[in-house]
Amino acid sequence: MADPVIGATVEFGVEKLLSLTIEEVRRLRNCNKDREMLTKKLSMIQAFIHDVENVFDEFRYESLKTQVEIPTKLPEKDVAEIKENILNMREHVVLRTIPIVGMGGLGKTTVAKRIFNDEEIEKHCEKRVWLCLPEMAETKSFLQLILESLTKRKVEVQSRDIIVKTLQDELGGKKYLLVLDDLWHVDSILWHEFMDTLRGDHCWSIFKQRAFVDGEVPEEIASRLQRVSLKYLWVSDCREFRELPQSLYNLHSLKRLKIERCTNFSSFPVPGGGKYLTSLQSLELSNCYGLTSLPSGMLEHCRSLNSLTVSECNNLVSLPLHVWEMPLFSYLNISRCPKLESVPEGGLHLLTGLRKLCIGPFSEMVDFEAFQLIFNGIQQLLSLRTLCVYEQRAHWDSLPYQLMQLSALTEIRIYDFGIKALPHSLGNLTSLETLDLVRCKQLQHLEFLVSMPKLWHLKIFCCPLLEVLSDRLVNLVFLHELNFIVLHRTRASAIQRCHEMPHQITETEN
């Protein structure tokens, strides 16, 4: 930037001095007595030019120095340091994570490959696994991929417990290296769950095997629970689990409770004596088909709760959620509960710390107007970064207008809506980096009338009527990846438009 400015300055200065000199020569022609004065002036000009050139060289030096100081690759010492950390890990350390982070092009994958293929590392680690996935959506598939990489064969079993057990058999007592390459997005809760599984933290396996006989926790286990500081309880694939035992309310250290695929689980009894899970920070309920409601006031008494997931509970009708009493929420997921009738109306804006929201679809009794009311005032949530909205019948041909006012939103995922085109007001989402359009089966046109200055990823999945990818896609000046999942019915013109774009295209046919 400095070079042309300085060059222009030098040129202007030299031209001005030469002009004055020529004028002086003409005026003093044939005047021998002033020859000495003219010689002195020419010497001054030469000295000035020399000084300017020196200044110019200094500016160029500083400019080049700045460019050189910008890192273009990870230093060699980082490779040696990572290698040393792996080789010198203490015996009592069960698991260690070593992040390699940085902007694109720094050579993170190259560093990981050098470590992965190092001869000393190969001798030190009995097992090595390399996975390349951009997102950890749920842990079961991740664990399955690791197992398939280890065994070199496809895993056919569906039970997560069997996958975990087989994985433990493969890795138990062995030193292993697992590289997760190009992992851009992962939910912190899922990450901790994944890490706990790798650590082999099964302090609660005895509970799963023995606690649910007649719905009562055996006395010997209950007495032990009083003496431990259990922080994480995960109950999975337990058909006999029908009710949360009262004794669990005595676990005041419990921070995370997860109940999934317990198809007969149906009841949270109201605790006696006002005992609640006062330290609980995260509650996850998924695929609990026997659950029809949660007791009134239960969630509000969990004063430390900051993350709530209620998903795919097909018979859930009532979910009393007084959001104004739950200011600590940072993650809220109420999704795929097709019979849910009671939904929070206009109170989401009180969750001032909310960063991720996943919501819908609900009972047919919740029409579009009622669904839209949920988002009243949501533009006040300056902390909200990720939004997932679901509709299941593809009847709604528009999106709640309030969503287009979330100027701080960085990621939006739209599932199963009946929209035919994107709203023009989408351009208001000036911070948007990721846009997913999934199973929007009425979508016919995709155009961006205004520049989306930060949109980085665009995913289009199962939109069979999509005919036109507008020329205005050029407004997506920073688009890095267009992931276009192509169905056999998708029009060829839309696919061709993808290939005309100067961006990375992922095209899949189903």
Side-chain angles (χ1 to χ4, degrees), residues 283-342:
L283 174 61
E284 299 177 56
L285 304 170
S286 61
N287 300 102
C288 297
Y289 303 140
L291 190 64
T292 59
S293 66
L294 267 67
S296 179
M298 174 192 165
L299 297 175
E300 288 74 14
H301 282 87
C302 299
R303 295 294 183 179
S304 300
L305 197 65
N306 59 46
S307 175
L308 174 65
T309 296
V310 182
S311 178
E312 297 184 80
C313 296
N314 291 350
N315 291 302
L316 185 68
V317 176
S318 174
L319 178 65
L321 181 62
H322 303 143
V323 293
W324 54 88
E325 296 184 15
M326 314 181 78
L328 297 180
F329 265 31
S330 61
Y331 178 75
L332 179 60
N333 180 353
I334 307 175
S335 62
R336 300 186 180 99
C337 298
K339 293 184 179 180
L340 186 61
E341 298 175 2
S342 64

Side-chain angles (χ1 to χ4, degrees), residues 342-491:
S342 64
V343 294
E345 296 183 3
L348 292 179
H349 68 281
L350 298 172
L351 302 177
T352 53
L354 194 64
R355 295 188 61 84
K356 183 172 182 178
L357 173 64
C358 301
I359 196 159
F362 302 129
S363 164
E364 292 187 2
M365 297 181 64
V366 180
D367 58 15
F368 180 73
E369 286 71 22
F371 185 73
Q372 189 165 247
L373 285 176
I374 296 173
F375 302 99
N376 276 352
I378 197 174
Q379 66 274 13
Q380 300 176 33
L381 295 184
L382 302 181
S383 61
L384 190 63
R385 294 294 179 267
T386 301
L387 176 64
C388 306
V389 285
Y390 301 83
E391 209 268 303
Q392 64 179 353
R393 294 168 294 276
H395 294 162
W396 297 346
D397 57 5
S398 60
L399 298 169
Y401 71 91
Q402 302 96 323
L403 307 188
M404 301 300 111
Q405 301 172 1
L406 297 170
S407 58
L409 200 67
T410 60
E411 180 177 356
I412 186 169
R413 299 178 178 183
I414 302 169
Y415 296 82
D416 300 298
F417 272 76
I419 56 175
K420 296 181 179 179
L422 292 176
H424 295 165
S425 54
L426 186 73
N428 296 336
L429 306 184
T430 53
S431 300
L432 197 64
E433 299 174 3
T434 298
L435 171 62
D436 286 2
L437 301 167
V438 181
R439 295 186 301 274
C440 295
K441 297 185 178 180
Q442 303 301 319
L443 186 67
Q444 299 177 18
H445 304 280
L446 190 64
E447 61 180 359
F448 297 84
L449 298 178
V450 297
S451 174
M452 302 289 289
K454 295 185 179 180
L455 192 63
W456 185 260
H457 300 284
L458 174 60
K459 176 182 177 181
I460 306 167
F461 175 73
C462 192
C463 299
L465 298 184
L466 185 60
E467 296 180 356
V468 177
L469 290 178
S470 167
D471 290 330
R472 292 190 176 95
L473 283 179
V474 298
N475 287 331
L476 308 181
V477 292
F478 289 104
L479 188 66
H480 175 72
E481 181 176 356
L482 173 58
N483 193 345
F484 195 79
I485 311 300
V486 181
L487 300 179
H488 65 278
R489 292 178 56 196
T490 305
R491 306 300 174 91

Side-chain angles (χ1 to χ4, degrees), residues 139 160 187-197 204 230-235 248 251-260 277-286 304-309 331:
T139 58
R160 184 187 186 282
D187 181 80
S188 61
I189 295 176
L190 289 177
W191 177 254
H192 288 301
E193 175 186 312
F194 176 66
M195 298 299 288
D196 287 344
T197 303
W204 199 249
L230 188 68
K231 295 183 178 181
Y232 177 27
L233 169 58
W234 180 6
V235 186
L248 285 184
L251 296 177
H252 299 298
S253 60
L254 190 65
K255 292 186 176 181
R256 182 179 175 191
L257 173 59
K258 180 175 182 178
I259 303 172
E260 66 173 0
L277 300 171
T278 53
S279 297
L280 193 67
Q281 297 177 0
S282 173
L283 174 61
E284 299 177 56
L285 304 170
S286 61
S304 300
L305 197 65
N306 59 46
S307 175
L308 174 65
T309 296
Y331 178 75

Side-chain angles (χ1 to χ4, degrees), residues 163-178:
I163 293 174
V164 171
K165 178 64 169 61
T166 310
L167 197 57
Q168 289 169 353
D169 294 341
E170 288 288 332
L171 298 177
K174 300 182 178 70
K175 292 180 180 179
Y176 62 91
L177 174 64
L178 171 63

Side-chain angles (χ1 to χ4, degrees), residues 61-332:
Y61 169 77
E62 291 299 327
S63 177
L64 289 172
K65 181 181 176 183
T66 303
Q67 294 176 29
V68 170
E69 288 176 348
I70 296 175
T72 58
K73 62 179 182 178
L74 290 169
E76 187 70 24
K77 66 178 183 180
D78 287 351
V79 178
E81 185 178 336
I82 294 171
K83 180 179 173 180
E84 182 180 355
N85 284 336
I86 295 174
L87 296 177
N88 297 323
M89 196 167 80
R90 296 179 180 178
E91 291 296 328
H92 70 274
V93 178
V94 178
L95 185 69
R96 170 175 287 179
T97 59
I98 304 176
I100 305 176
V101 297
M103 60 188 295
L106 279 181
K108 300 183 292 296
T109 298
T110 302
V111 169
K113 284 182 178 178
R114 288 185 58 184
I115 298 294
F116 190 82
N117 296 320
D118 185 89
E119 289 185 7
E120 290 186 73
I121 296 295
E122 285 189 46
K123 295 177 182 177
H124 184 75
C125 300
E126 299 176 58
K127 302 284 187 178
R128 294 176 305 138
V129 176
W130 183 291
L131 291 182
C132 183
L133 286 174
E135 181 178 18
M136 181 186 289
E138 47 91 18
T139 58
K140 177 188 170 184
S141 59
F142 232 63
L143 296 170
Q144 183 173 331
L145 287 172
I146 295 173
L147 184 56
E148 289 177 351
S149 179
L150 286 169
T151 60
K152 308 301 181 186
R153 62 178 183 271
K154 187 167 182 61
V155 175
E156 301 293 345
V157 297
Q158 298 298 317
S159 170
R160 184 187 186 282
D161 288 345
I162 296 177
I163 293 174
V164 171
K165 178 64 169 61
T166 310
L167 197 57
Q168 289 169 353
D169 294 341
E170 288 288 332
L171 298 177
K174 300 182 178 70
K175 292 180 180 179
Y176 62 91
L177 174 64
L178 171 63
V179 176
L180 303 179
D181 183 34
D182 204 29
L183 186 61
W184 284 93
H185 180 270
V186 59
D187 181 80
S188 61
I189 295 176
L190 289 177
W191 177 254
H192 288 301
E193 175 186 312
F194 176 66
M195 298 299 288
D196 287 344
T197 303
L198 291 183
R199 287 189 186 96
D201 186 3
H202 299 288
C203 61
W204 199 249
S205 60
I206 188 174
F207 181 86
K208 288 181 61 178
Q209 295 168 9
R210 301 179 59 191
F212 303 121
V213 178
D214 298 326
E216 295 293 331
V217 180
E219 187 61 34
E220 69 272 19
I221 296 179
S223 62
R224 289 177 62 186
L225 290 178
Q226 304 300 320
R227 301 193 299 270
V228 300
S229 298
L230 188 68
K231 295 183 178 181
Y232 177 27
L233 169 58
W234 180 6
V235 186
S236 175
D237 298 286
C238 240
R239 293 187 179 181
E240 298 304 316
F241 182 37
R242 302 176 185 275
E243 182 178 282
L244 193 71
Q246 286 271 3
S247 56
L248 285 184
Y249 288 104
N250 295 322
L251 296 177
H252 299 298
S253 60
L254 190 65
K255 292 186 176 181
R256 182 179 175 191
L257 173 59
K258 180 175 182 178
I259 303 172
E260 66 173 0
R261 295 189 301 277
C262 297
T263 53
N264 292 315
F265 178 73
S266 59
S267 177
F268 277 93
V270 178
K275 295 180 179 179
Y276 287 90
L277 300 171
T278 53
S279 297
L280 193 67
Q281 297 177 0
S282 173
L283 174 61
E284 299 177 56
L285 304 170
S286 61
N287 300 102
C288 297
Y289 303 140
L291 190 64
T292 59
S293 66
L294 267 67
S296 179
M298 174 192 165
L299 297 175
E300 288 74 14
H301 282 87
C302 299
R303 295 294 183 179
S304 300
L305 197 65
N306 59 46
S307 175
L308 174 65
T309 296
V310 182
S311 178
E312 297 184 80
C313 296
N314 291 350
N315 291 302
L316 185 68
V317 176
S318 174
L319 178 65
L321 181 62
H322 303 143
V323 293
W324 54 88
E325 296 184 15
M326 314 181 78
L328 297 180
F329 265 31
S330 61
Y331 178 75
L332 179 60

